[in-house]
Amino acid sequence: MNKKLVEMINNQMNYEFSVSFQYLSMANYCHSIGFDGFGHFMYMQYVEELEHANKFKDFLLRKNESYTVSGLEKPRSEFSSILEVAKHALASEQENTENINNIYKAANELGDFSVTSFLNWFVDEQIEEEELFNKLISDIELAGNSKECMFLLDRELSGRKVE
């Protein structure tokens, strides 16, 4: 496998680990301000991102390549609101989409179709992730200052499961 692609996939694996811990930190923030449904939702994102990181790790191993886990930066833990949390999550997902697209482009240019085939699932997943957070932001903005609406949204998010 091309060394550039191995490095890019390894970096993406570490990005997924980093984002997973950011979601765990967001979950903690949500719980700390009494939004347990939002906290649960962000915790489920944490679990999902760990799964994504492990998919990249497993792919490298299947290709007989090694992986390197790098040091992770301390995730952000202070936010001004639930809306800021959702917007921060969307920005992370947009960066994730850009990273995956860059790996896909490099793999395509190098003619490594096993990598592009592997990444197809992630391309589709990122469409869902960005859609999810755009909708969440929309719902939070629609709720505005209504405690009742935020209560109902928090309740709705408490039922999320990882597929």
Side-chain angles (χ1 to χ4, degrees), residues 66-78:
S66 61
Y67 61 91
T68 304
V69 178
S70 64
L72 304 174
E73 293 181 25
K74 180 179 177 183
R76 181 176 170 188
S77 59
E78 296 297 321

Side-chain angles (χ1 to χ4, degrees), residues 1-10 60 65-66:
M1 196 169 150
N2 180 281
K3 294 302 172 198
K4 176 184 175 185
L5 284 176
V6 171
E7 180 181 348
M8 291 177 85
I9 292 169
N10 196 74
L60 287 172
E65 298 289 346
S66 61

Side-chain angles (χ1 to χ4, degrees), residues 62-126:
R62 288 176 57 210
K63 296 291 286 180
N64 203 33
E65 298 289 346
S66 61
Y67 61 91
T68 304
V69 178
S70 64
L72 304 174
E73 293 181 25
K74 180 179 177 183
R76 181 176 170 188
S77 59
E78 296 297 321
F79 299 91
S80 63
S81 66
I82 291 290
L83 180 59
E84 186 182 14
V85 168
K87 286 182 175 182
H88 186 69
L90 175 60
S92 292
E93 293 300 341
Q94 289 169 331
E95 184 176 346
N96 205 4
T97 298
E98 184 178 341
N99 293 344
I100 289 167
N101 289 344
N102 288 336
I103 300 168
Y104 195 100
K105 181 179 178 184
N108 202 34
E109 289 170 358
L110 292 166
D112 192 328
F113 302 114
S114 66
V115 173
T116 58
S117 177
F118 168 71
L119 290 175
N120 282 331
W121 182 89
F122 287 97
V123 170
D124 293 340
E125 176 69 8
Q126 285 311 116

